[in-house]
Amino acid sequence: MSGADGADESHGGTGGPGGAPAGGGAGAAAAGRDPGLQPERTRLAWRRTTLSGTVVAVLAVKAALHGGVSPAGVLVCALCFLLWLGFLLVAQARIRCLSRTAAPPALTARLATAAVLCTVALAVCASALVL
């Protein structure tokens, strides 16, 4: 094919209507944001992370109680449980926020810090139980 139509098709149709670049530029971004499936993917990611934290907590308890019950093991198990519960509460708050509106607000610094601290502390507790 020759001509303008052949040139547009040879590039895979990446341009927008009328030859405009895909994405619409700054004017389209200012007009409004279409989140599409991003909130759903984010909700699923929070659920997967919560499930991973649950597995870590359960394996930590199993490792702590494998050689017998000791006061230190019980203390670390209780700490793992509290950290897991803290992360679960943060995740559920975020999941509810994502479910409420079509364009959810950004994650607050307070919730992000709490999620990171719970995750890192849970990993430290679990590794202490394994060693």
Side-chain angles (χ1 to χ4, degrees):
M1 268 175 149
S2 64
D5 291 337
D8 287 342
E9 290 176 3
S10 67
H11 292 291
T14 58
R33 182 178 154 273
D34 179 19
L37 293 177
Q38 182 180 2
E40 179 65 21
R41 288 191 308 266
T42 305
R43 273 193 301 276
L44 291 172
W46 276 102
R47 288 189 175 141
R48 281 191 310 268
T49 306
T50 303
L51 179 61
S52 298
T54 302
V55 169
V56 167
V58 167
L59 291 175
V61 169
K62 182 181 177 211
L65 301 178
H66 179 67
V69 179
S70 69
V74 171
L75 181 65
V76 175
C77 285
L79 185 59
C80 281
F81 175 74
L82 289 175
L83 291 167
W84 171 79
L85 189 60
F87 185 82
L88 182 66
L89 293 173
V90 170
Q92 287 302 317
R94 187 60 182 160
I95 290 169
R96 277 193 305 272
C97 182
L98 290 168
S99 298
R100 250 182 292 181
T101 62
L107 182 64
T108 63
R110 184 175 148 225
L111 282 179
T113 302
V116 168
L117 289 176
C118 285
T119 303
V120 170
L122 185 61
V124 169
C125 286
S127 63
L129 285 171
V130 171
L131 299 176

